[in-house]
Amino acid sequence: MTGDEQYERGMEALREADSGAGQKLLDALADVSPELSYRSVAWSYGDLYVRPELARRDRELMCLGVLTALGDAGSQLEVHVNGALNAGLTPSEIVEALLQAVVYCGVPRAVNATLVAKKVFAERNLLPVHPTPAR
């Protein structure tokens, strides 16, 4: 597969995953590091994200945890909250995942991640978030 094919496969996966939030991030990089933008799509999405071993829903849930743990990845977290919603996670499940992160990542990181999720939920008219009923 050529680099351009990998990039196109990555762009297709990104568009499918994130409802345009990723494109905003790529656009922000365009005038400073188009190569970083290109490589991010080609490698992250065109090679890794499309691997069949994890369902997209599971992959997005894992991304939410890792990005929350990093603590300074708000733009990427916005992309993956959108991706998680598009992969079938509910707002309540996303909030619960971020709540679980408080134990391992700390209160400030969990709060910041939850505020990013709130922004995405507001943009998608998904507020207020209602807890999932107990089973």
Side-chain angles (χ1 to χ4, degrees):
M1 174 177 304
T2 69
D4 287 338
E5 291 169 333
Q6 188 179 26
Y7 178 81
E8 286 306 316
R9 182 170 71 175
M11 282 303 297
E12 182 179 328
L14 182 61
R15 281 189 293 272
E16 181 180 304
D18 78 348
S19 301
Q23 187 61 53
K24 287 191 281 186
L25 183 57
L26 297 177
D27 292 345
L29 290 170
D31 63 348
V32 65
S33 185
E35 188 64 18
L36 177 57
S37 177
Y38 180 88
R39 297 291 170 192
S40 295
V41 170
W43 186 63
S44 298
Y45 283 89
D47 188 31
L48 295 177
Y49 190 83
V50 297
R51 293 174 54 84
E53 286 77 13
L54 287 176
R56 208 171 93 204
R57 183 183 198 283
D58 298 337
R59 194 175 303 280
E60 289 296 349
L61 190 57
M62 189 268 324
C63 288
L64 294 178
V66 170
L67 292 169
T68 299
L70 287 172
D72 60 353
S75 296
Q76 294 82 7
L77 192 55
E78 185 176 339
V79 169
H80 287 283
V81 169
N82 274 293
L85 290 166
N86 292 342
L89 285 154
T90 66
S92 182
E93 290 171 319
I94 292 168
V95 168
E96 184 65 22
L98 300 177
L99 179 62
Q100 292 296 310
V102 76
V103 175
Y104 304 99
C105 305
V107 173
R109 288 180 178 177
V111 168
N112 290 343
T114 301
L115 292 174
V116 170
K118 179 182 178 179
K119 176 181 183 265
V120 172
F121 299 159
E123 289 170 354
R124 293 176 71 154
N125 297 316
L126 298 173
L127 291 174
V129 175
H130 302 287
T132 303
R135 296 177 199 185

